Amino acid sequence: MPAPIQNQQELQFKGYAVEDTENWEKFKLIDFQPKPMGEHDVDIKIEFCGVCGSDVHTITGGWGKVNLPVIVGHEIVGRVARVGGAVTEFKVGDRVAVGAQVCSCGECNLCKTNNEQYCRELVFTYNDNFRGCGTATQGGYSTAIRTPDRFVFPIPDGIKLEDAAPLMCGGLTVYSPLVRNGAGPGKKVGVVGIGGLGHMAIQFAKALGCDEIVAFSHSNSKEKDAMTLGATKFVATREEGFQKPLLSSLDFIICTADVASGVAFKELLETLVPMGKFVMVAQPDDKLPSLERIAFGYAFFGGSLLGSKKEALEMLQLATDKGVKPWIEVMPMSDVSKAVRGLKDGKPRYRYVLKQDIDQ
């Protein structure tokens, strides 16, 4: 483990950028300018960054227009190198993390009620711009990041930095809807898709004490993994009539599938109790099917975005207490092209984490 940073440092800001969505596997190491240092800002020397499906959706142009050049990555962990004058929560050398959001207005009712991820002035960690100064946000495939302290999370001592990285988006994205929909003792939960998000959703559902956790996957290839992660039942959705033994039995389903085509929405909705909830946490490039069928099942169909700082801190503590740990493969950051191609092809089991190796 590297020695803690003792004195405030001026960091070099450079990272692996994509300059053309048509050549999304081609990364160029560039220098970039962070936002001006503010009283509440924290400079972080990055050590690891998880590779998220959002990164691939962005660099391929699957989610629309991209501010180029773009440095993606929003599962960021490292150590504090510098703090603004008004920062009291962190000191130089602290182990910290940053997720998919780096700013909000701080004044609206959403920001004041631990719902800052839904603020109308939300600023994403990359492919966005800070309000006011207009500086482009750049992500964690880089040496450093400058972020307001509200969006910096202390990492408990019981979690390794590389294990903390995937929790910052993948973990928080599933934890928030689980707790907001009452996951816990007495509840029966379904998880659709056993991948980067789904494998953490199963673990958190177990850690929260759900009575039953049903893992849904297209085929049987991940059955052993799902059961090892904590599922109480595995269901292959390509089998006709898979939903019949589960009709009107689940309180809540969290869907982490990164493609809409091939997801058996109609049959999955039939497994919900009346007024049950089906929550999408992935954002596929392809369109969702017509939702008119929902009215006949008395189910709620909705989405969820990231999580609040309050939830992030609770999630990290729960992960520490219950041993929730993402299944990761660590790669040097210089292998970023290999990592995004592997993710695009569905190869990781279940999260790639890049170790920062840029010369500074």
Side-chain angles (χ1 to χ4, degrees):
M1 180 180 294
I5 305 165
Q6 296 299 323
N7 301 304
Q8 300 227 34
Q9 295 184 357
E10 289 288 344
L11 297 175
Q12 287 184 301
F13 290 81
K14 58 175 65 175
Y16 291 104
V18 168
E19 298 182 308
D20 180 2
T21 56
E22 294 295 321
N23 296 296
W24 57 269
E25 293 178 77
K26 184 177 181 180
F27 289 81
K28 181 181 179 181
L29 187 59
I30 66 168
D31 295 306
F32 66 94
Q33 188 69 33
K35 68 183 291 294
M37 188 71 180
E39 286 292 292
H40 284 278
D41 286 341
V42 178
D43 279 0
I44 300 165
K45 185 175 183 180
I46 295 171
E47 295 188 28
F48 296 94
C49 184
V51 181
C52 179
S54 301
D55 303 343
V56 175
H57 286 296
T58 298
I59 61 177
T60 59
W63 282 350
K65 188 177 185 302
V66 183
N67 297 326
L68 299 171
V70 62
I71 299 170
V72 296
H74 56 205
E75 297 182 336
I76 301 166
V77 295
R79 294 174 186 271
V80 174
R82 183 185 179 196
V83 296
V87 175
T88 59
E89 185 179 359
F90 303 104
K91 65 182 185 301
V92 171
D94 283 353
R95 298 172 355 123
V96 294
V98 175
Q101 180 181 7
V102 291
C103 204
S104 67
C105 78
E107 299 295 331
C108 68
N109 67 309
L110 294 170
C111 288
K112 292 180 179 180
T113 56
N114 296 308
N115 289 291
E116 64 270 17
Q117 70 272 33
Y118 297 109
C119 175
R120 302 301 179 187
E121 296 185 26
L122 170 153
V123 178
F124 289 110
T125 302
Y126 59 74
N127 196 37
D128 206 342
N129 296 89
F130 282 102
R131 313 297 181 247
C133 66
T135 304
T137 60
Q138 301 289 8
Y141 296 3
S142 60
T143 58
I145 187 168
R146 177 174 294 162
T147 307
D149 55 357
R150 179 168 184 171
F151 300 94
V152 179
F153 314 133
I155 300 173
D157 290 338
I159 303 178
K160 293 181 179 179
L161 286 181
E162 56 266 42
D163 291 332
L167 297 175
M168 292 305 100
C169 178
L172 186 57
T173 294
V174 297
Y175 177 82
S176 177
L178 282 169
V179 296
R180 290 184 182 224
N181 287 282
K187 296 294 184 179
K188 299 178 180 179
V189 173
V191 177
V192 180
I194 316 303
L197 274 65
H199 94 286
M200 285 186 273
I202 293 172
Q203 291 187 76
F204 277 119
K206 179 182 179 182
L208 289 164
C210 293
D211 286 3
E212 294 185 22
I213 305 163
V214 181
F216 295 97
S217 189
H218 181 66
S219 72
N220 291 302
S221 64
K222 297 179 181 178
E223 180 174 4
K224 182 178 179 182
D225 286 354
M227 301 306 288
T228 300
L229 289 161
T232 58
K233 185 179 181 62
F234 181 90
V235 177
T237 59
R238 71 178 180 185
E239 297 177 4
E240 187 174 352
F242 75 84
Q243 80 280 13
K244 292 181 180 179
L246 296 167
L247 292 175
S248 303
S249 66
L250 300 180
D251 299 293
F252 170 64
I253 293 175
I254 183 168
C255 183
T256 71
D258 203 30
V259 293
S261 59
V263 176
F265 287 101
K266 177 180 183 296
E267 291 79 6
L268 288 165
L269 288 164
E270 291 175 2
T271 69
L272 289 168
V273 298
M275 311 307 287
K277 295 180 180 179
F278 188 106
V279 177
M280 291 288 299
V281 293
Q283 297 184 42
D285 287 349
D286 51 336
K287 293 182 179 180
L288 296 175
S290 170
L291 301 181
E292 60 185 16
R293 64 187 67 144
I294 294 175
F296 298 99
Y298 302 102
F300 291 92
F301 188 104
S304 178
L305 179 67
L306 311 179
S308 67
K309 181 166 185 172
K310 177 177 182 292
E311 289 167 332
L313 300 181
E314 293 170 352
M315 173 197 69
L316 287 165
Q317 191 58 55
L318 182 66
T320 302
D321 295 343
K322 298 293 186 178
V324 174
K325 182 179 177 181
W327 292 10
I328 66 172
E329 179 182 343
V330 178
M331 307 170 66
M333 195 168 283
S334 52
D335 281 349
V336 58
S337 295
K338 178 181 176 182
V340 296
R341 167 47 72 182
L343 180 57
K344 177 75 169 173
D345 293 342
K347 292 181 178 179
R349 294 291 186 272
Y350 284 96
R351 207 63 156 184
Y352 291 141
V353 175
L354 301 176
K355 184 176 182 179
Q356 206 276 101
D357 62 352
I358 300 171
D359 291 333
Q360 299 179 65

